[in-house]
Amino acid sequence: MKKIFLLLVLFSLLGCEKDDICDENTATTPLLVLEFFRADNPTIIQNVTSLKITANGQSEFGTFSGVSKIKLPLNTVADLTKYKLTLNSGATNANTDYLQFNYARNEVFVSRACGFKTTYTLNATGGVVRTDETPADTTWITSFTILTSNIEKSNETHIKIFF
């Protein structure tokens, strides 16, 4: 009887699985990284002043000041994300541009504990566009350059914005 009990205990212990916990250092869905540069000298990084960002016509995403890089989430359930970017928000010289990011999504299995993450590939043509909501004579963004179309990491610049 003792042997049967010990065998049952042994089999029940062997049947246990360790807890699956997603390590905080595991790569998750990346953010889109924008870096700002001077339009008159594209090699000089330029900090933004009171850059207010609103996502997809929703509530304010955040206001950034004194930084040259920002990280923005992309929509994981649609193939486009639209942002309203207002430079010098709250000032009389506030200026707003609307950018739309068009991409393909790719679901990547990370692990059983972490689940899936989404990576993005900006479209070859029209990956970043100004929408018709931006009047041509009031734009503050003079141009932008896509450095990498594959958005797989949040620690590299994906798009340079010149203003």
Side-chain angles (χ1 to χ4, degrees):
M1 188 60 133
K2 284 184 180 182
K3 288 181 182 181
I4 294 175
F5 178 72
L6 288 173
L7 284 174
L8 286 174
V9 170
L10 180 64
F11 284 123
S12 66
L13 290 175
L14 292 175
C16 293
E17 295 180 25
K18 68 177 189 166
D19 287 340
D20 279 342
I21 298 174
C22 186
D23 184 355
E24 66 184 44
N25 297 321
T26 301
T28 57
T29 296
L31 300 173
L32 175 69
V33 180
L34 307 177
E35 189 167 18
F36 298 92
F37 290 83
R38 288 179 52 170
D40 61 349
N41 189 344
T43 61
I44 297 177
I45 295 171
Q46 179 72 38
N47 288 343
V48 293
T49 304
S50 298
L51 177 61
K52 179 180 173 183
I53 299 178
T54 307
N56 294 323
Q58 303 297 314
S59 61
E60 182 181 330
F61 175 75
T63 301
F64 304 86
S65 206
V67 297
S68 63
K69 276 187 184 182
I70 56 172
K71 296 180 179 184
L72 301 173
L74 295 175
N75 194 335
T76 59
V77 295
D79 291 335
L80 68 90
T81 301
K82 206 172 184 184
Y83 281 105
K84 173 183 173 183
L85 295 90
T86 304
L87 189 66
N88 301 320
S89 66
T92 56
N93 64 339
N95 201 332
T96 300
D97 279 353
Y98 296 83
L99 294 180
Q100 180 173 303
F101 302 95
N102 302 299
Y103 46 84
R105 294 168 285 132
N106 184 30
E107 294 281 321
V108 178
F109 181 73
V110 176
S111 69
R112 191 170 56 173
C114 299
F116 288 85
K117 71 176 183 177
T118 303
T119 60
Y120 308 93
T121 303
L122 292 171
N123 295 349
T125 56
V128 182
V129 294
R130 277 199 179 95
T131 66
D132 57 358
E133 298 174 60
T134 304
D137 60 340
T138 62
T139 59
W140 64 271
I141 297 174
T142 59
S143 63
F144 44 81
T145 301
I146 298 173
L147 296 179
T148 179
S149 324
N150 295 323
I151 302 167
E152 298 173 348
K153 303 175 195 168
S154 297
N155 61 353
E156 62 186 7
T157 300
H158 302 112
I159 299 172
K160 285 184 171 183
I161 294 184
F162 303 96
F163 72 103

